[in-house]
Amino acid sequence: MSDKTILRYTSNQRTNHWLVAILFLMAGLSGLALFHPALFWLSNLFGGGPWTRILHPFMGVLMFVLFLGLVFRFWRANYFIANDRLWLRRIDRVMKNEEEGVPPIGKYNPGQKLLFWTLLLCMLVLLFSGLVIWRSYFSEYFGITTIRWAMLLHALAGFVLILSIIVHIYAGIWIKGSVSAMLHGRVSRGWARKHHELWYRQVTQDETRGEAPKRPITKKG
């Protein structure tokens, strides 16, 4: 391990993240193509209207399954703690990069935690509403009123999900080093101390416990 960097994401975690990102892009574009006639030209990316209608639900289900991988990996780190509430009350200082009076936080800041749970909620709504309106397999088991409500919920959840991902991308670019962490897995110790001090303390304490005791220096003779 480099003395100057800290492991933030393993290769498996990064692969999981980028697979979800790719599937989100594909499911999002195909969903927009089916959402409104003005966006139907996007279906050309998937081989036309029929193929878009066929592929979209499968991509959505696969995206949800892979997203569950992220949930199982990171849900503990996204629990809210006492410092998070104070951090949110002082969000104006955070936006101005003012550190005075801003409490230290763990591996994820409260904004990231809110995003995490928002994404999970949207994914669940998209999954269950999508199953209801999946004509090839499930929609025949539901009444027209249920299907219409499911279509509305599906569209709303998709809209919130897209907005949330836009915020996620913007925040990742705004906080320098975040994108690099998800690409390469490591962050500098200074970055960790500045943005996630509680997590930095935990990691460095774990490193200290894991160090082998140094052999004492003895003099001969």
Side-chain angles (χ1 to χ4, degrees):
M1 176 182 291
S2 171
D3 291 334
K4 296 182 180 180
T5 62
I6 294 175
L7 180 65
R8 185 160 174 83
Y9 298 111
T10 66
S11 58
N12 286 338
Q13 291 169 344
R14 300 197 308 275
T15 300
N16 195 163
H17 171 274
W18 290 115
L19 286 175
V20 172
I22 292 170
L23 283 165
F24 164 78
L25 181 63
M26 296 174 66
L29 291 174
S30 58
L32 289 172
L34 299 172
F35 176 72
H36 194 276
L39 299 173
F40 188 71
W41 59 272
L42 290 170
S43 65
N44 294 321
L45 298 172
F46 305 95
W51 273 111
T52 301
R53 188 174 294 278
I54 292 170
L55 293 174
H56 175 74
F58 286 103
M59 291 186 292
V61 170
L62 183 56
M63 178 180 69
F64 178 82
V65 171
L66 290 173
F67 183 76
L68 282 183
L70 295 178
V71 172
F72 291 139
R73 295 174 191 274
F74 300 129
W75 67 275
R76 290 183 184 276
N78 281 280
Y79 274 162
F80 285 90
I81 60 176
N83 279 14
D84 292 336
R85 290 187 286 273
L86 181 57
W87 189 94
L88 287 171
R89 287 199 293 269
R90 297 178 178 174
I91 188 66
D92 57 325
R93 300 185 185 183
V94 176
M95 299 298 291
K96 296 176 183 177
N97 284 324
E98 296 177 0
E99 298 181 14
E100 184 178 355
V102 178
I105 53 175
K107 187 170 185 177
Y108 299 109
N109 66 47
Q112 292 171 306
K113 293 177 180 181
L114 286 171
L115 177 69
F116 176 86
W117 296 112
T118 299
L119 293 181
L120 177 58
L121 178 61
C122 287
M123 290 283 192
L124 288 170
V125 174
L126 285 169
L127 175 69
F128 289 110
S129 61
L131 291 176
V132 172
I133 62 178
W134 197 345
R135 293 186 180 277
S136 301
Y137 297 99
F138 304 106
S139 64
E140 63 183 83
Y141 300 107
F142 301 95
I144 187 63
T145 301
T146 302
I147 292 175
R148 286 173 177 171
W149 276 108
M151 292 178 68
L152 177 61
L153 288 174
H154 200 76
L156 289 174
F159 178 72
V160 173
L161 181 64
I162 290 173
L163 287 182
S164 299
I165 294 299
I166 291 173
V167 172
H168 176 55
I169 294 172
Y170 175 79
I173 296 173
W174 178 53
I175 301 177
K176 187 178 180 180
S178 298
V179 176
S180 177
M182 190 52 75
L183 288 172
H184 307 293
R186 308 192 75 87
V187 295
S188 69
R189 291 177 179 268
W191 185 94
R193 190 186 304 111
K194 175 179 174 60
H195 297 292
H196 302 274
E197 186 177 345
L198 293 182
W199 173 67
Y200 171 77
R201 294 178 193 171
Q202 178 185 355
V203 172
T204 52
Q205 286 174 359
D206 291 343
E207 288 178 350
T208 302
R209 294 193 195 101
E211 287 181 354
K214 296 181 180 179
R215 294 176 58 186
I217 299 175
T218 58
K219 294 182 179 180
K220 294 183 179 180

